[in-house]
Amino acid sequence: MGTTTAEPATRVDLPVVGMHCAACAVRIEGALAHAPGVSKAAVNFATGRATVEYDPAATAPAALRDVVRGAGYDAVLPQAGHHAGGASDAEEAAREADYRRTRLRFVVAAVLTVPVAVLAMAGHLVPSLAPALDFPGRAWVELALTTPVLFWAGREFFTGAWAAARHRAADMNTLVAIGTLSAYAYSVVATLAPGWLAVGASSEHAGHGAATPAGVYYEVAAVIVTLILLGRLLEARARSRTGGAIRALIGLSPKTARVERDGAEMDVPVADVRVGDVVRVRPGEKVPVDGTVLDGTSAVDESMLTGEPLPVAKAPGDPVIGATVNTTGSFRLTATKVGADT
């Protein structure tokens, strides 16, 4: 663990680009937790964010980004001025660029994989096509089509597996890299030196019988890469839609809050509300931040978040959520989560 000091720790949320499984999150979390100056690190795979508490005298967000990059991923530095909890322009641009790269690689892989699969499998599915597809040099055609699928479209699997290996770990990239490279390497040997893997001729009858060339399995490597790229493309699109829904919810939050300070009520920007502040919410107003009802009773419409069709009764001690709508009564709450924590 990094060293800690008596000074209050600074917290930063770093959007992480390139995570594809829970093992990725675990590896990034471990790398950040052992970075100098870091007292606590947590990586959420679902939201694609790393939350780090650190000593600003010992490290900085830029150094934390370098740690994430050293683990084989990338992080986006937070931008000052964007809405708390919202996505910055840099984060949106990075995720959109990652989506476009994945889409391009999938399209290229799919275009090249289809003929490889047809050459390898159509003869088994439609026996009448077997003679036409079993032409001399077929293995060389499959090799030419599969190579860019594996080492261009699927190169992220190999770079990810290598990054994991450098940290003495394994993840989904490791499995994909081992499986596809094994099928590809075997097929290359069978194509370049078919005699090495020929079957059907024993040593006792060498020269008296023709050996059968070993089969090639280029379609295995190509199809695996293409299907996993399709899965990652669908995952990226789903995350993009989820992120849009979350940003829409954030847009529903009020811009100001009525806070009690120095014995008086004053309207302040929501960004200036601090944990522990007492906030008054009147009928018809939106709850500005997450908190706990201090006094007063009311019913709060939480349908924008939960889909609950009826307002939920609130009494002292009950939690309330930012951006929900107070309907009938007036109450005061103690802020428990503000800014990006809401």
Side-chain angles (χ1 to χ4, degrees), residues 286-300:
K286 292 182 179 179
V287 179
V289 295
D290 293 3
T292 302
V293 176
L294 184 62
D295 56 52
T297 59
S298 183
V300 177

Side-chain angles (χ1 to χ4, degrees), residues 23-313:
C24 299
V26 171
R27 187 160 73 249
I28 297 171
E29 185 173 302
L32 288 171
H34 290 85
V38 174
S39 58
K40 183 179 179 181
V43 179
N44 190 317
F45 170 63
T47 60
R49 288 177 176 268
T51 302
V52 185
E53 294 182 3
Y54 65 95
D55 177 9
T59 188
L64 299 176
R65 179 184 61 182
D66 292 339
V67 172
V68 175
R69 288 177 172 176
Y73 305 87
D74 198 7
V76 181
L77 292 179
Q79 290 183 339
H82 74 276
H83 193 281
S88 67
D89 293 339
E91 178 186 352
E92 285 298 303
R95 297 198 185 281
E96 180 62 26
D98 183 63
Y99 174 79
R100 289 197 301 267
R101 284 193 300 268
T102 303
R103 182 177 58 189
L104 175 61
R105 290 175 184 175
F106 166 71
V107 170
V108 173
V111 169
L112 296 177
T113 297
V114 168
V116 174
V118 170
L119 289 172
M121 304 302 298
H124 299 284
L125 300 176
V126 184
S128 61
L129 295 177
L133 297 176
D134 192 17
F135 56 86
R138 189 188 75 179
W140 289 96
V141 174
E142 294 184 24
L143 171 61
L145 294 172
T146 303
T147 299
V149 173
L150 206 63
F151 297 109
W152 183 80
R155 71 175 182 267
E156 64 183 54
F157 302 123
F158 298 99
T159 56
W162 174 246
R166 288 193 294 110
H167 291 82
R168 299 179 181 180
D171 57 13
M172 188 179 72
N173 291 320
T174 306
L175 298 177
V176 176
I178 292 175
T180 56
L181 193 58
S182 298
Y184 179 83
Y186 177 90
S187 300
V188 168
V189 173
T191 302
L192 300 178
W196 291 3
L197 301 175
V199 296
S202 64
S203 59
E204 296 179 359
H205 300 87
H208 298 284
T212 302
V216 295
Y217 301 97
Y218 292 113
E219 77 281 0
V220 174
V223 169
I224 288 176
V225 168
T226 302
L227 290 180
I228 295 181
L229 285 175
L230 173 60
R232 291 190 173 182
L233 183 65
L234 296 175
E235 176 190 26
R237 186 173 67 174
R239 284 190 176 185
S240 176
R241 291 179 176 178
T242 303
I246 292 175
R247 289 190 293 276
L249 289 178
I250 292 173
L252 297 175
S253 301
K255 302 298 184 285
T256 61
R258 185 169 290 100
V259 179
E260 295 183 3
R261 289 179 181 170
D262 300 326
E265 293 185 358
M266 61 185 69
D267 290 335
V268 301
V270 171
D272 293 340
V273 178
R274 300 186 295 267
V275 173
D277 278 346
V278 176
V279 180
R280 179 175 294 278
V281 184
R282 295 182 297 187
E285 293 182 339
K286 292 182 179 179
V287 179
V289 295
D290 293 3
T292 302
V293 176
L294 184 62
D295 56 52
T297 59
S298 183
V300 177
D301 182 358
E302 299 179 344
S303 59
M304 51 78 67
L305 187 65
T306 65
E308 184 75 23
L310 298 176
V312 180

